[in-house]
Amino acid sequence: MATQHKQIDAQTLENLLYLSRLSPDSTNMETLKKQVDDIVSYFEILSKYDDSENPYDAYPTTTADALRGDTVVEGLDMPDVKKVSKDFMDGYFQVPKVLGEGA
């Protein structure tokens, strides 16, 4: 990157190695330092953009979160339930078998 940016120091690099469980012996320190410096520079580029805008403003508002009122209403009486289907017996509706070979 052509722009000047803050470079990390040796102590920060050692802390990153410790947190990532890498050993300094198995890692090329110059390459790693350059890669971390490049990552930091990308964050500096991103920080120049205004992010104060609410990200939820991009989506239209919906009434999906408006729940119905919590009111108790009467259910159906048993004679009315029996009128719904002719296949009602002993408090249950008879339905086609869906398990087994018929599925």
Side-chain angles (χ1 to χ4, degrees), residues 82-94:
K82 289 179 182 180
K83 292 178 187 174
V84 172
S85 173
K86 62 181 173 88
D87 298 326
F88 186 79
M89 183 189 316
D90 297 330
Y92 297 98
F93 289 100
Q94 182 181 2

Side-chain angles (χ1 to χ4, degrees), residues 73-84 88 93:
V73 295
E74 283 190 40
L76 295 174
D77 291 327
M78 202 49 78
D80 294 333
V81 173
K82 289 179 182 180
K83 292 178 187 174
V84 172
F88 186 79
F93 289 100

Side-chain angles (χ1 to χ4, degrees), residues 2 5 14 16 19 22-23 25 32 35-36 40 62-63 65 69 71 74 79-81 87 98 102:
H5 60 275
E14 290 293 325
L16 286 173
L19 289 173
L22 294 173
S23 71
D25 301 333
L32 182 65
Q35 290 172 345
V36 171
V40 169
T62 62
T63 58
D65 56 347
T71 56
E74 283 190 40
D80 294 333
V81 173
D87 298 326
V98 292

Side-chain angles (χ1 to χ4, degrees), residues 1 5-8 13 16-17 22 27-43:
M1 303 236 96
H5 60 275
K6 184 177 178 182
Q7 301 213 353
I8 64 166
L13 189 59
L16 286 173
L17 285 172
L22 294 173
T27 307
N28 185 347
M29 296 298 282
E30 292 82 24
T31 304
L32 182 65
K33 183 172 181 345
K34 181 183 178 321
Q35 290 172 345
V36 171
D37 284 337
D38 288 343
I39 292 170
V40 169
S41 70
Y42 294 142
F43 281 105

